[in-house]
Amino acid sequence: MSDTIRFLAEGPRVGIRHFTLDDSAEFTARVRESRELHHPWLSPPANATAYASYAGRLIEDPAKAGFLVCEKDGGGIAGFVNINNIVEGAFQCGALGYGAFAHGAGRGLMREGLGLVVAYAFGAMGLHRLEINVQPGNAASIALAKRCGFRLEGFSPNFLFIDGAWRDHERWAVTAEMIAART
């Protein structure tokens, strides 16, 4: 790991850090390498212009927080986890979106990274609840949610417009108390 990388939280193999505009070249290259893995579930930015807009929103909008999951050995980006629609006050909740990159898929890096983001959200960010909306056919994403302690809470027909159509989604959630009870 480079001495200049400062992680917000670290596990045995990965650390999490916020997006920067300087991550564009590596992030977009990883997206292009991972098209087959991501289709039809998500479409992260694959060029510099789209990345600048995407990362800019994650950096500047207080209702969003973006995290890169980076391998500690070398610092390469293995995936990402974003917390969107952060609501404070009595709700203290955010909606998670995430994706692994092909070179990191199936290695447990995203499980470790998502666990770090959840702990950071419930700790430093002061959130109480995190939700994930997953298409029922996305077995890898559902398995990750389960492994990280999320529970199935419901079904939302025609919930999000993805890959040219309104798609059904399962709603998964975890609360700070659920995580505390596991540890």
Side-chain angles (χ1 to χ4, degrees):
M1 178 182 82
S2 166
D3 291 335
T4 61
I5 296 176
R6 298 284 180 242
F7 293 124
L8 299 166
E10 295 182 49
R13 298 182 299 150
V14 302
I16 58 169
R17 65 177 177 83
H18 288 297
F19 279 72
T20 71
L21 295 177
D22 291 337
D23 294 309
S24 178
E26 181 182 0
F27 188 93
T28 57
R30 297 292 186 197
V31 167
R32 291 187 301 274
E33 293 167 3
S34 304
R35 278 196 176 117
E36 188 175 312
L37 176 67
H38 292 159
H39 185 79
W41 315 116
L42 67 151
S43 301
N47 64 56
T49 302
Y51 177 85
S53 176
Y54 175 82
R57 288 189 305 272
L58 292 168
I59 293 166
E60 296 171 15
D61 186 343
K64 298 180 184 301
F67 302 90
L68 294 173
V69 176
C70 301
E71 294 184 77
K72 288 172 60 177
D73 181 18
I77 302 170
F80 59 94
V81 180
N82 299 331
I83 307 176
N84 299 296
N85 306 323
I86 298 170
V87 179
E88 296 179 343
F91 199 34
Q92 295 295 326
C93 182
L96 289 178
Y98 50 79
F101 290 128
H103 76 282
R107 296 174 44 206
L109 303 176
M110 283 303 293
R111 179 180 182 189
E112 188 176 322
L114 181 56
L116 291 171
V117 170
V118 168
Y120 186 82
F122 291 154
M125 293 178 69
L127 296 179
H128 174 259
R129 177 184 174 85
L130 294 169
E131 300 177 353
I132 300 171
N133 292 290
V134 182
Q135 292 179 61
N138 190 342
S141 188
I142 290 171
L144 178 58
K146 286 179 182 178
R147 284 192 306 273
C148 288
F150 286 73
R151 68 179 172 219
L152 179 62
E153 291 192 337
F155 181 79
S156 299
N158 299 321
F159 185 66
L160 290 173
F161 193 78
I162 297 175
D163 196 35
W166 289 99
R167 308 289 179 182
D168 298 343
H169 281 69
E170 294 179 355
R171 288 188 323 277
W172 293 79
V174 68
T175 65
E177 293 85 359
M178 291 168 61
I179 296 298
R182 284 190 358 210
T183 56

Coordinates of all heavy atoms in Angstrom, one line a residue, residues 88-154:
E88 N -31.4 12.4 7.6 CA -31.0 12.6 9.0 C -32.3 12.7 9.8 O -33.4 12.2 9.4 CB -30.1 13.7 9.1 CG -28.7 13.4 8.4 CD -27.8 14.6 8.5 OE1 -28.1 15.7 8.8 OE2 -26.6 14.3 8.2
G89 N -32.2 13.3 10.9 CA -33.3 13.5 11.8 C -33.8 12.2 12.4 O -32.9 11.4 12.8
A90 N -35.1 12.0 12.5 CA -35.6 10.8 13.1 C -35.3 9.5 12.3 O -35.3 8.4 12.9 CB -37.1 10.9 13.4
F91 N -35.0 9.6 11.0 CA -34.9 8.5 10.2 C -33.5 7.9 10.2 O -33.3 6.7 10.3 CB -35.3 8.9 8.7 CG -35.6 7.7 7.8 CD1 -36.2 6.5 8.3 CD2 -35.3 7.8 6.5 CE1 -36.5 5.5 7.4 CE2 -35.6 6.8 5.6 CZ -36.2 5.6 6.1
Q92 N -32.4 8.7 10.1 CA -31.0 8.3 10.1 C -30.8 7.1 9.2 O -30.3 6.0 9.7 CB -30.6 8.0 11.6 CG -30.6 9.2 12.4 CD -29.5 10.3 12.0 OE1 -28.5 10.0 11.5 NE2 -29.9 11.5 12.2
C93 N -31.1 7.2 8.0 CA -31.1 6.0 7.0 C -30.4 6.4 5.7 O -30.4 7.6 5.4 CB -32.5 5.6 6.8 SG -32.7 4.1 5.7
G94 N -29.9 5.4 5.0 CA -29.4 5.6 3.7 C -29.6 4.4 2.9 O -29.8 3.3 3.4
A95 N -29.6 4.6 1.6 CA -29.8 3.5 0.6 C -28.4 3.1 0.0 O -27.8 4.0 -0.6 CB -30.8 3.9 -0.5
L96 N -28.1 1.9 0.1 CA -26.8 1.4 -0.5 C -26.9 0.9 -1.9 O -27.8 0.3 -2.3 CB -26.2 0.2 0.4 CG -25.8 0.5 1.8 CD1 -25.3 -0.8 2.4 CD2 -24.6 1.5 1.8
G97 N -25.8 1.2 -2.6 CA -25.6 0.6 -3.9 C -24.2 0.2 -4.0 O -23.3 0.8 -3.4
Y98 N -23.9 -0.9 -4.7 CA -22.5 -1.4 -4.7 C -22.2 -2.2 -5.9 O -23.1 -2.7 -6.6 CB -22.1 -2.2 -3.4 CG -23.1 -3.3 -3.1 CD1 -23.1 -4.5 -3.8 CD2 -24.0 -3.1 -2.1 CE1 -24.0 -5.5 -3.4 CE2 -24.9 -4.1 -1.7 CZ -24.9 -5.3 -2.4 OH -25.8 -6.3 -2.1
G99 N -20.9 -2.4 -6.2 CA -20.5 -3.2 -7.3 C -19.0 -3.6 -7.1 O -18.2 -2.8 -6.7
A100 N -18.8 -4.9 -7.4 CA -17.4 -5.4 -7.5 C -16.9 -5.2 -8.9 O -17.6 -5.1 -9.8 CB -17.4 -6.9 -7.1
F101 N -15.6 -5.1 -9.0 CA -15.0 -5.2 -10.3 C -14.5 -6.6 -10.6 O -14.2 -7.4 -9.7 CB -13.8 -4.2 -10.4 CG -14.3 -2.7 -10.4 CD1 -13.8 -1.8 -9.5 CD2 -15.3 -2.3 -11.3 CE1 -14.2 -0.5 -9.5 CE2 -15.8 -1.0 -11.3 CZ -15.2 -0.1 -10.4
A102 N -14.4 -6.9 -11.9 CA -14.2 -8.3 -12.3 C -13.0 -9.0 -11.6 O -13.0 -10.1 -11.2 CB -14.1 -8.4 -13.8
H103 N -11.9 -8.2 -11.5 CA -10.7 -8.8 -10.9 C -10.8 -9.1 -9.4 O -10.1 -9.9 -8.9 CB -9.5 -7.9 -11.2 CG -9.4 -6.7 -10.3 ND1 -10.2 -5.6 -10.5 CD2 -8.7 -6.4 -9.2 CE1 -10.0 -4.7 -9.6 NE2 -9.1 -5.2 -8.7
G104 N -11.8 -8.5 -8.8 CA -12.0 -8.7 -7.4 C -13.1 -9.6 -7.0 O -13.3 -10.0 -5.9
A105 N -14.0 -9.9 -8.0 CA -15.2 -10.6 -7.8 C -14.9 -12.1 -7.3 O -13.9 -12.7 -7.7 CB -16.0 -10.7 -9.0
G106 N -15.7 -12.5 -6.3 CA -15.6 -13.9 -5.9 C -14.4 -14.1 -4.9 O -14.1 -15.3 -4.6
R107 N -13.8 -13.1 -4.5 CA -12.6 -13.2 -3.6 C -12.9 -12.8 -2.1 O -12.0 -12.7 -1.3 CB -11.4 -12.4 -4.1 CG -10.9 -12.9 -5.5 CD -9.9 -12.0 -6.1 NE -8.9 -11.6 -5.2 CZ -8.1 -10.5 -5.4 NH1 -8.4 -9.7 -6.4 NH2 -7.2 -10.1 -4.5
G108 N -14.1 -12.4 -1.9 CA -14.5 -11.9 -0.5 C -14.1 -10.5 -0.2 O -14.3 -10.0 0.9
L109 N -13.6 -9.8 -1.2 CA -13.2 -8.4 -0.9 C -14.3 -7.5 -0.7 O -14.3 -6.6 0.1 CB -12.3 -7.9 -2.1 CG -11.0 -8.7 -2.4 CD1 -10.3 -8.2 -3.7 CD2 -10.1 -8.7 -1.2
M110 N -15.4 -7.7 -1.5 CA -16.6 -6.8 -1.3 C -17.3 -7.1 0.0 O -17.9 -6.2 0.6 CB -17.5 -7.0 -2.5 CG -17.1 -6.2 -3.7 SD -16.8 -4.5 -3.5 CE -18.5 -3.9 -3.2
R111 N -17.3 -8.4 0.4 CA -17.9 -8.7 1.7 C -17.2 -7.9 2.8 O -17.8 -7.3 3.7 CB -17.8 -10.1 2.0 CG -18.4 -10.5 3.4 CD -18.4 -11.9 3.7 NE -19.0 -12.2 5.0 CZ -19.0 -13.3 5.6 NH1 -18.4 -14.3 5.0 NH2 -19.6 -13.5 6.8
E112 N -15.8 -7.9 2.8 CA -15.0 -7.2 3.8 C -15.3 -5.7 3.6 O -15.5 -5.0 4.6 CB -13.6 -7.5 3.6 CG -12.7 -7.0 4.6 CD -11.2 -7.4 4.4 OE1 -11.0 -8.6 4.0 OE2 -10.3 -6.6 4.7
G113 N -15.3 -5.2 2.4 CA -15.5 -3.7 2.1 C -16.9 -3.3 2.5 O -17.0 -2.2 3.2
L114 N -17.9 -4.0 2.2 CA -19.3 -3.6 2.6 C -19.4 -3.7 4.1 O -20.0 -2.8 4.7 CB -20.3 -4.6 2.0 CG -21.8 -4.2 2.3 CD1 -22.1 -2.8 1.9 CD2 -22.7 -5.2 1.5
G115 N -18.8 -4.6 4.8 CA -18.8 -4.6 6.2 C -18.2 -3.4 6.8 O -18.6 -2.8 7.8
L116 N -17.0 -3.0 6.2 CA -16.4 -1.7 6.7 C -17.3 -0.5 6.5 O -17.3 0.4 7.4 CB -15.0 -1.6 6.0 CG -13.9 -2.6 6.3 CD1 -12.8 -2.4 5.3 CD2 -13.5 -2.4 7.7
V117 N -17.9 -0.4 5.3 CA -18.8 0.7 5.1 C -20.0 0.7 6.1 O -20.4 1.8 6.6 CB -19.3 0.7 3.6 CG1 -20.4 1.8 3.4 CG2 -18.2 1.0 2.7
V118 N -20.6 -0.5 6.3 CA -21.7 -0.5 7.3 C -21.2 -0.1 8.7 O -21.9 0.8 9.3 CB -22.3 -2.0 7.3 CG1 -23.2 -2.1 8.5 CG2 -23.0 -2.3 6.0
A119 N -20.1 -0.5 9.1 CA -19.6 -0.1 10.4 C -19.3 1.4 10.4 O -19.6 2.1 11.4 CB -18.3 -0.9 10.7
Y120 N -18.7 1.9 9.4 CA -18.5 3.3 9.3 C -19.8 4.2 9.3 O -19.9 5.2 9.9 CB -17.6 3.6 8.0 CG -17.2 5.1 7.9 CD1 -16.0 5.5 8.6 CD2 -17.9 6.0 7.1 CE1 -15.6 6.8 8.5 CE2 -17.4 7.3 7.0 CZ -16.3 7.7 7.7 OH -15.9 9.0 7.6
A121 N -20.7 3.7 8.5 CA -22.0 4.4 8.5 C -22.7 4.4 9.9 O -23.3 5.4 10.3 CB -23.0 3.7 7.5
F122 N -22.6 3.3 10.6 CA -23.3 3.3 11.9 C -22.4 3.9 13.0 O -22.9 4.3 14.0 CB -23.6 1.8 12.3 CG -24.7 1.2 11.5 CD1 -24.7 -0.2 11.3 CD2 -25.7 2.0 10.9 CE1 -25.7 -0.8 10.6 CE2 -26.7 1.4 10.1 CZ -26.7 0.0 10.0
G123 N -21.1 4.1 12.7 CA -20.2 4.7 13.7 C -20.1 6.2 13.3 O -20.8 7.1 13.8
A124 N -19.1 6.5 12.5 CA -18.7 7.9 12.2 C -19.8 8.7 11.6 O -19.9 9.9 11.9 CB -17.5 7.9 11.2
M125 N -20.7 8.1 10.8 CA -21.7 8.8 10.1 C -23.0 8.9 11.0 O -23.9 9.8 10.7 CB -22.1 8.2 8.8 CG -21.0 8.3 7.7 SD -21.4 7.5 6.2 CE -22.7 8.5 5.6
G126 N -23.1 8.1 12.0 CA -24.2 8.2 12.9 C -25.6 7.7 12.3 O -26.6 8.0 12.9
L127 N -25.5 6.9 11.3 CA -26.8 6.4 10.7 C -27.3 5.2 11.6 O -26.5 4.6 12.4 CB -26.6 5.9 9.3 CG -26.2 7.0 8.3 CD1 -26.0 6.4 6.9 CD2 -27.2 8.1 8.3
H128 N -28.6 4.9 11.5 CA -29.2 3.8 12.2 C -29.6 2.7 11.3 O -29.7 1.5 11.8 CB -30.4 4.4 13.0 CG -31.2 3.3 13.6 ND1 -32.4 2.8 13.1 CD2 -31.0 2.7 14.8 CE1 -32.8 1.9 13.9 NE2 -32.0 1.8 14.9
R129 N -29.9 3.0 10.1 CA -30.5 1.9 9.2 C -29.9 2.1 7.8 O -29.7 3.2 7.3 CB -32.0 2.1 9.1 CG -32.7 1.2 8.2 CD -34.2 1.6 8.2 NE -34.9 0.8 7.3 CZ -35.4 -0.4 7.5 NH1 -35.3 -1.0 8.6 NH2 -36.1 -1.0 6.5
L130 N -29.6 1.0 7.1 CA -29.1 1.0 5.7 C -30.0 0.0 5.0 O -30.4 -1.1 5.5 CB -27.7 0.5 5.6 CG -26.7 1.5 6.3 CD1 -25.3 0.8 6.3 CD2 -26.6 2.8 5.5
E131 N -30.4 0.4 3.8 CA -31.2 -0.4 2.9 C -30.5 -0.7 1.6 O -29.8 0.1 1.1 CB -32.5 0.3 2.6 CG -33.3 0.6 3.9 CD -34.6 1.4 3.6 OE1 -34.8 1.8 2.5 OE2 -35.4 1.6 4.6
I132 N -30.8 -1.9 1.0 CA -30.3 -2.3 -0.3 C -31.5 -2.7 -1.1 O -32.3 -3.5 -0.6 CB -29.3 -3.4 -0.2 CG1 -28.1 -3.1 0.7 CG2 -28.9 -3.9 -1.6 CD1 -27.2 -4.2 1.0
N133 N -31.6 -2.2 -2.3 CA -32.7 -2.7 -3.2 C -32.0 -3.5 -4.3 O -31.1 -3.0 -5.0 CB -33.4 -1.5 -3.8 CG -34.3 -0.8 -2.7 OD1 -35.2 -1.4 -2.2 ND2 -33.8 0.4 -2.3
V134 N -32.4 -4.8 -4.5 CA -31.7 -5.7 -5.3 C -32.8 -6.4 -6.2 O -33.8 -6.8 -5.8 CB -31.0 -6.8 -4.5 CG1 -30.2 -7.7 -5.4 CG2 -30.1 -6.2 -3.5
Q135 N -32.4 -6.5 -7.5 CA -33.3 -7.2 -8.4 C -33.3 -8.7 -8.0 O -32.2 -9.3 -7.7 CB -32.8 -7.1 -9.9 CG -33.0 -5.7 -10.4 CD -32.5 -5.5 -11.8 OE1 -33.0 -6.2 -12.7 NE2 -31.6 -4.6 -12.0
P136 N -34.4 -9.4 -8.0 CA -34.5 -10.8 -7.5 C -33.6 -11.7 -8.2 O -33.1 -12.7 -7.6 CB -36.0 -11.1 -7.7 CG -36.7 -9.8 -7.7 CD -35.7 -8.8 -8.3
G137 N -33.2 -11.5 -9.5 CA -32.3 -12.4 -10.2 C -30.9 -12.1 -10.0 O -30.0 -12.9 -10.5
N138 N -30.5 -11.1 -9.2 CA -29.1 -10.8 -9.0 C -28.6 -11.6 -7.8 O -28.5 -11.1 -6.6 CB -28.9 -9.3 -8.7 CG -27.5 -8.9 -8.7 OD1 -26.6 -9.7 -8.6 ND2 -27.3 -7.6 -8.9
A139 N -28.4 -12.9 -8.0 CA -28.0 -13.8 -6.9 C -26.7 -13.4 -6.2 O -26.7 -13.5 -4.9 CB -27.8 -15.2 -7.5
A140 N -25.7 -12.9 -6.9 CA -24.5 -12.5 -6.2 C -24.7 -11.3 -5.2 O -24.2 -11.3 -4.1 CB -23.4 -12.1 -7.2
S141 N -25.5 -10.3 -5.6 CA -25.8 -9.2 -4.8 C -26.6 -9.6 -3.6 O -26.4 -9.1 -2.5 CB -26.5 -8.1 -5.6 OG -26.6 -6.9 -4.8
I142 N -27.6 -10.5 -3.8 CA -28.4 -10.9 -2.6 C -27.5 -11.7 -1.7 O -27.6 -11.6 -0.5 CB -29.6 -11.8 -3.2 CG1 -30.6 -10.8 -3.9 CG2 -30.3 -12.5 -2.0 CD1 -31.7 -11.5 -4.6
A143 N -26.7 -12.6 -2.2 CA -25.8 -13.4 -1.3 C -24.9 -12.4 -0.5 O -24.6 -12.7 0.7 CB -24.9 -14.3 -2.2
L144 N -24.4 -11.4 -1.1 CA -23.5 -10.4 -0.4 C -24.3 -9.7 0.7 O -23.9 -9.6 1.9 CB -22.9 -9.4 -1.3 CG -22.1 -8.3 -0.7 CD1 -20.9 -8.9 0.1 CD2 -21.6 -7.3 -1.8
A145 N -25.5 -9.3 0.4 CA -26.4 -8.7 1.4 C -26.6 -9.6 2.6 O -26.5 -9.2 3.8 CB -27.7 -8.2 0.8
K146 N -26.9 -10.9 2.3 CA -27.1 -11.9 3.4 C -25.9 -12.1 4.2 O -25.9 -12.1 5.4 CB -27.6 -13.2 2.8 CG -29.0 -13.3 2.3 CD -29.2 -14.7 1.7 CE -30.6 -14.8 1.1 NZ -30.8 -16.1 0.5
R147 N -24.7 -12.2 3.5 CA -23.5 -12.5 4.3 C -23.1 -11.3 5.2 O -22.4 -11.5 6.2 CB -22.3 -12.7 3.3 CG -22.4 -14.1 2.7 CD -21.1 -14.5 2.0 NE -20.7 -13.6 0.9 CZ -21.1 -13.6 -0.3 NH1 -21.9 -14.5 -0.7 NH2 -20.7 -12.7 -1.2
C148 N -23.6 -10.1 4.8 CA -23.3 -8.9 5.6 C -24.4 -8.6 6.6 O -24.4 -7.5 7.3 CB -23.0 -7.7 4.7 SG -21.4 -7.8 3.8
G149 N -25.3 -9.5 6.8 CA -26.3 -9.4 7.9 C -27.6 -8.7 7.6 O -28.4 -8.4 8.5
F150 N -27.8 -8.4 6.3 CA -29.1 -7.7 5.9 C -30.2 -8.7 5.9 O -30.0 -9.9 5.6 CB -28.9 -7.1 4.5 CG -28.1 -5.8 4.5 CD1 -26.7 -5.9 4.6 CD2 -28.7 -4.6 4.3 CE1 -25.9 -4.8 4.6 CE2 -27.9 -3.4 4.3 CZ -26.5 -3.5 4.5
R151 N -31.4 -8.2 6.2 CA -32.6 -9.1 6.2 C -33.5 -8.7 5.1 O -33.6 -7.5 4.8 CB -33.3 -9.1 7.6 CG -33.9 -7.7 7.9 CD -34.6 -7.7 9.2 NE -35.0 -6.3 9.5 CZ -35.0 -5.8 10.7 NH1 -34.6 -6.5 11.7 NH2 -35.4 -4.5 10.8
L152 N -34.2 -9.6 4.5 CA -35.2 -9.3 3.5 C -36.4 -8.7 4.2 O -37.0 -9.3 5.2 CB -35.6 -10.6 2.8 CG -36.7 -10.5 1.7 CD1 -36.2 -9.5 0.6 CD2 -37.1 -11.8 1.2
E153 N -36.9 -7.5 3.7 CA -38.0 -6.9 4.3 C -39.2 -6.7 3.4 O -40.3 -6.4 3.9 CB -37.6 -5.5 4.9 CG -36.6 -5.6 6.0 CD -36.4 -4.3 6.8 OE1 -36.6 -3.2 6.1 OE2 -36.0 -4.3 7.9
G154 N -39.0 -6.9 2.1 CA -40.1 -6.7 1.3 C -39.8 -6.8 -0.2 O -38.7 -7.1 -0.6

